[in-house]
Structure formats: C-alpha cells, structure tokens
Amino acid sequence: MHSLAEKGYSSVAVDLPGFGETKSLPYNDNNLRALLVSTLVTSLGTNRTILVSQSSASKYTIPFLDRYGTQVWGYVGIAPLKIRDWGGPWEDTHIKVRLLAMTGDKDPEIADIDYLMKLFRHTTKVIIPDAKKTPHLENPALFKARLLSFAELINSIKA
C-alpha cells in the first residue's frame, strides 16, 4: 500500500466478513457478497478503481464481478479459488475490466489462472517464481512492481 501511495494512488485494505479481525455475517450468499463489495467500491468514490483480491476473498469478488463488475476498471486476482466454478462475468465486465492474474509458480491450482484469463478480453498474467498462493508476501518487490505497472496501465486508458 505504501508503494501505491508513493506513486499517488489511494489504496484501502478491507477485512471481509469472516477474515482477519472481522466476524462472519449470520447470513451470506453470493448476492450479499456482491452487494457488500459494490457498496464498498461505491462509497470510496474513487476514479479508475482496481479491485485486488487474494485467494479465498475471491468468493466475494467473483460474485461482485458478475453483478457489478463495470464499477471497476481493473481486477487483480491473486491465486483466486474456485474459478472453474465460475462461468465468467456478465454484461460488459469481460470487455471493459482489465485483468491482472497473479500467482506463484508453486501454487497447486496454478492452472486456474489460465482459466480465469479466458474469461476476460484484456489480460496480463504474472507467475511469481518460488512462490505459492501468497506472492505478495513471498516476493513483495516483484509483486509491487507488477501491481504498479498495472495501475499505470489502467491510469493511461482513455475514458
């Protein structure tokens, strides 16, 4: 987050329900998960939002992309889970949203990245060497460099 701020980007880290310090919701389905992420994105009021999710957080971001995906300009999927269960985004999300798919070369589900890339028109794939499902922790310098390049790409797109 600091490297993004140094380049003039705003970033927010959110503990989703049931993760980190946040308690689980008593009732949770894909519609509620999607609405939660949509509400967060809308309330931030940022321009050219890039949604970043790692691993099991994809159970929130994938339903969001299905229902409200065009609210963001980019999606960074870091070792996302259960991608093969997803038929792809609805509406214009697969055309308008740019994808950065990242994982480590030791991720047991590395093939899911290729499947995810087939669901979007504009994609970039990054495989971090000697990393598993947490490349942002296992090789933070390379992760930051690729994330900043992606943010610059999103920022350069004409509206």
Side-chain angles (χ1 to χ4, degrees):
M1 291 179 64
H2 296 291
S3 55
L4 288 170
E6 288 171 358
K7 296 289 185 182
Y9 296 102
S10 298
S11 61
V12 176
V14 177
D15 272 347
L16 293 171
F19 296 92
E21 301 289 320
T22 309
K23 295 183 184 214
S24 295
L25 297 173
Y27 171 73
N28 209 350
D29 67 4
N30 283 342
N31 290 322
L32 185 59
R33 289 182 189 112
L35 185 58
L36 175 67
V37 176
S38 175
T39 302
L40 287 168
V41 168
T42 302
S43 67
L44 292 172
T46 59
N47 187 20
R48 298 182 185 241
T49 301
I50 299 171
L51 181 63
V52 181
S53 75
Q54 193 264 330
S55 194
S56 54
S58 60
K59 73 178 180 180
Y60 282 82
T61 56
I62 296 300
F64 165 80
L65 289 167
D66 268 347
R67 293 153 181 86
Y68 308 104
T70 56
Q71 290 179 344
V72 298
W73 283 62
Y75 172 59
V76 180
I78 306 167
L81 294 176
K82 306 218 182 242
I83 293 301
R84 293 186 184 275
D85 296 342
W86 184 39
W90 297 355
E91 298 183 10
D92 293 332
T93 300
H94 66 287
I95 297 169
K96 293 181 178 178
V97 176
R98 296 190 184 266
L99 168 71
L100 173 59
M102 296 178 111
T103 196
D105 64 352
K106 296 183 184 332
D107 179 355
E109 286 98 18
I110 195 169
D112 286 353
I113 292 294
D114 292 324
Y115 180 79
L116 179 62
M117 292 182 66
K118 292 177 185 175
L119 303 176
F120 289 84
R121 180 178 289 174
H122 306 285
T123 64
T124 303
K125 175 180 169 181
V126 175
I127 304 298
I128 306 285
D130 299 317
K132 295 179 183 172
K133 287 193 158 300
T134 54
H136 56 295
L137 300 176
E138 296 169 275
N139 191 335
L142 182 54
F143 173 80
K144 288 176 191 176
R146 297 303 181 129
L147 183 59
L148 284 170
S149 293
F150 186 68
E152 291 167 4
L153 170 73
I154 296 297
N155 203 35
S156 72
I157 297 170
K158 295 188 191 242

